[in-house]
Every structure is written in C-alpha cells, then in structure tokens.
C-alpha cells in the first residue's frame, strides 16, 4: 500500500478514505479491478470521460503512437495538424452554426473559458454593458471560480466567499409532483423558462446580461431532464434580447 498522506483528494472525505483506502489498479472495458482482485462495474465511465470503455485497443494504440511521435505541441503561435483535423471533425458533426472549436483540458476550464468568451464577445462588439451572467439552481459547471459562481450547488460555493459578482440564477426545472412518472422529457414545466424574462431580465435589465448557462440535462444533483419545450423557450428569450445561451 502506498503512503497516502501527501495526496489531497478532491471531493473526498480524506481522513475516512485513507483509514480504509479503496485502490483501483487496472481497468478493461466496463470494469475496474482493485488491489484485492475484485472486479467492479464502472457505471459512470470514469468521471464521464471514457465512454468507449477502458483501455480500448484502438484508443490505446493511438495514444501510444502519438506519444512516440510528439508528446506536446504549443498552441500559442504554433500548431499541430491533428489539432486542426480534430476541430474540423467536430465542426462537421456539430449543429449548424457551431463551427469554431476552442480546446480545453477539462470541463471546468471549458466553462470558465466560455464565460470569458461571452463577456469578450459583447465588449469587442461595442456592447460592454453586458457583464451579467445567469446560471441555474442545482447546476454544476465545474470547480473554477466562474463555474462555481454560475453553478447552483451550495456545497461547492460556501467556503470560497462571494466568487464572481453580477451573477443570478434561474430556478431548476425539477418538479416531482407533476412529473414523477414521466417517460422521456417531462411534459409539465416549460413555463419555468419564462422566469428568465419575467423575473431576472425585468430585475437586472436585459441590456446588462451577457449570457445564460444551463446544462441541457442536469446530472450532479440528480438526473434532471428539461421539460419539453423548456430549452426552446430559453433560446427564444435569449435571442429576443441578444443574450448568448
């Protein structure tokens, strides 16, 4: 057993874990293997990032091949052909109009970058009054200061002070009383999107709002599906007032 005293583990009760460690030492397909030879079904694809399965032969071979040819290429004033090929491949399968790709290391960095891009977009267009960001209750957008600010999970925010200013939140769309046994998208609750216009934009002035950020399906506080028509309503309201979604 390794010395566990130095590694400070995220989202983990460290003292409890280190008193009785649970060590994973190998993986294949949909299974992890522990240091005491148990097989564990991985029901969350690692942290939602190995959706093709662990140690897929084609992925493993591609990683090994690239590591042997070039381990890193800077993206500042230089580039690597495969980065451009990957961006083009993503643009081909993305919805119409989503044809620019900004690569990040993880979701937290992606969210903070997206928030900065949204603010800068309005500023370079001469609309610098748009500085406000709107998230949603129970939303998870990573662990950066931007992400915990627009996120709506109290436990991820309470130790870090006020975080970003000029942030507000929509109500979450979970409505168990009306949608407890719905198959597919809930049929009740699309009107919750109207809160964006009727409460938040009325309160803050839409001319000051840069962007609204929501997860299409909320996952970290329960699998909360959007009611049918909810996201379409958010899109229509944002388009009406020139707000990025």
């Amino acid at each position: 057993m390794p010395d566990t005293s130095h590694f400070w583990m995220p989202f983990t009760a460290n003292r409890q874990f280190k008193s009785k460690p649970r060590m994973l030492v190998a993986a294949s397909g949909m299974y992890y293997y522990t240091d005491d030879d148990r097989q564990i079904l991985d029901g969350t694809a690692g942290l939602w990032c190995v959706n093709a399965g662990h140690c897929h032969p084609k992925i493993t071979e591609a990683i090994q091949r690239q590591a042997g040819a070039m381990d890193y290429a800077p993206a500042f004033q230089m580039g690597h052909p495969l980065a451009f090929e990957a961006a083009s491949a993503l643009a081909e399968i993305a919805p119409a109009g989503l044809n620019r790709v900004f690569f990040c290391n993880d979701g937290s960095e992606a969210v903070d970058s997206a928030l900065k891009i949204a603010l800068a977009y309005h500023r370079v267009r001469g609309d610098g009054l748009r500085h406000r960001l709107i998230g949603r209750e129970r939303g998870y957008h990573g662990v950066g200061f931007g992400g915990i600010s627009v996120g709506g999970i109290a436990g991820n925010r309470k130790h870090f002070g006020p975080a970003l200013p000029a942030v507000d939140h929509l109500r979450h769309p979970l409505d168990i009383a009306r949608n407890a046994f719905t198959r597919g998208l809930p049929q009740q609750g699309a009107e919750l999107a109207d809160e964006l216009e009727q409460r938040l934009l009325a309160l803050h002035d839409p001319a000051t709002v840069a962007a609204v950020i929501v997860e299409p399906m909320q996952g970290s506080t329960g699998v909360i599906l959007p009611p049918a028509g909810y996201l379409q309503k958010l899109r229509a309201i944002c388009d009406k007032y020139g707000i990025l979604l």
Side-chain angles (χ1 to χ4, degrees), residues 1-203:
M1 181 67 66
D3 179 1
T4 62
S5 61
H6 300 292
F7 178 27
W8 190 6
M9 302 171 68
F11 287 96
T12 301
N14 275 254
R15 291 189 183 93
Q16 182 184 56
F17 175 89
K18 292 171 183 180
S19 68
K20 191 177 181 181
R22 297 174 296 280
M23 295 294 184
L24 306 174
V25 297
S28 179
M30 66 177 70
Y31 295 101
Y32 281 119
Y33 297 91
T34 68
D35 58 353
D36 57 354
D37 297 323
R38 290 182 298 126
Q39 184 186 67
I40 299 176
L41 176 66
D42 178 9
T44 56
L47 277 176
W48 317 286
C49 54
V50 284
N51 298 295
H54 291 280
C55 301
H56 190 290
K58 289 186 177 180
I59 297 174
T60 300
E61 191 276 330
I63 293 171
Q64 291 172 336
R65 183 175 66 250
Q66 183 56 45
M70 178 184 287
D71 52 359
Y72 180 78
F76 295 176
Q77 309 299 327
M78 301 180 192
H80 187 282
L82 288 179
F84 293 94
E85 291 180 23
S88 296
L90 288 172
E92 287 179 4
I93 63 175
L98 294 180
N99 55 10
R100 296 293 186 272
V101 177
F102 188 89
F103 288 115
C104 297
N105 292 300
D106 56 35
S108 297
E109 182 185 342
V111 167
D112 278 27
S113 296
L115 298 178
K116 291 192 294 183
I117 289 170
L119 294 170
Y121 166 80
H122 291 296
R123 184 172 291 274
V124 299
R125 295 177 70 248
D127 202 3
L129 287 177
R130 293 188 182 272
H131 64 284
R132 193 174 302 280
L133 303 167
I134 295 176
R136 188 167 60 179
E137 294 173 354
R138 300 182 68 149
Y140 177 78
H141 298 293
V143 295
F145 267 99
I148 65 172
S149 299
V150 296
I153 302 176
N156 290 357
R157 301 156 53 96
K158 63 183 180 181
H159 297 298
F160 309 114
L164 294 184
V167 173
D168 211 333
H169 295 79
L170 287 159
R171 286 184 295 167
H172 63 77
L174 180 63
D175 188 344
I176 295 176
R178 293 193 293 171
N179 295 317
F181 300 103
T182 299
R183 295 185 65 181
L185 295 182
Q187 296 304 304
Q188 307 293 326
E191 71 280 358
L192 292 172
D194 294 330
E195 182 193 35
L196 174 60
E197 183 173 34
Q198 295 173 0
R199 183 175 71 85
L200 296 181
L201 298 186
L203 174 64

